[in-house]
């Protein structure tokens, strides 16, 4: 995962801080179900803001109490607009 994060110029600390803040109830995350038709896997897309305010997109598999991060990326401008609209609706 470190290599994928480095390619996306996202630090592991940003991902960890986002998840830990969410788990402590300090930050909201937008959940979107995803399905990989090729593999049949059903990961979740999680979007939230890092401590610096940057929006991160996390592809994760959630298994009971465990969260497995598959990848992290920065959102497209269209996805940023969708996320900000979601934030406004859920403020």
């Amino acid at each position: 995962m470190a290599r994928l994060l480095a390619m996306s110029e996202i630090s592991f600390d940003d991902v960890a801080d986002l998840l830990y803040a969410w788990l402590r109830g300090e930050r909201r995350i937008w959940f979107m179900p995803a399905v990989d038709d090729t593999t049949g896997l059903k990961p979740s897309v999680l979007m939230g803001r890092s401590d610096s305010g940057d929006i991160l997109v996390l592809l994760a598999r959630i298994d009971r109490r465990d969260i497995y991060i598959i990848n992290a990326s920065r959102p497209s401008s269209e996805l940023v607009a969708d996320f900000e609209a979601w934030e406004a609706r859920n403020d």
Side-chain angles (χ1 to χ4, degrees), residues 8-85:
S8 299
E9 298 181 359
I10 297 172
S11 77
F12 176 79
D13 289 342
D14 282 344
V15 173
D17 290 342
L18 170 60
L19 289 173
Y20 293 144
W22 170 66
L23 291 170
R24 289 190 307 266
E26 299 169 359
R27 195 161 301 148
R28 294 174 301 148
I29 288 183
W30 186 17
F31 282 88
M32 294 174 281
V35 176
D36 184 334
D37 293 330
T38 305
T39 63
L41 293 175
K42 297 177 182 175
S44 296
V45 176
L46 315 174
M47 287 185 66
R49 291 192 182 268
S50 67
D51 287 348
S52 63
D54 293 334
I55 301 170
L56 299 178
V57 180
L58 308 178
L59 181 63
R61 184 172 68 86
I62 300 173
D63 183 17
R64 292 180 230 169
R65 295 176 50 133
D66 296 321
I67 301 172
Y68 301 93
I69 302 300
I70 299 166
N71 197 5
S73 62
R74 303 221 181 262
S76 66
S77 56
E78 182 180 323
L79 205 47
V80 167
D82 291 344
F83 179 74
E84 289 175 342

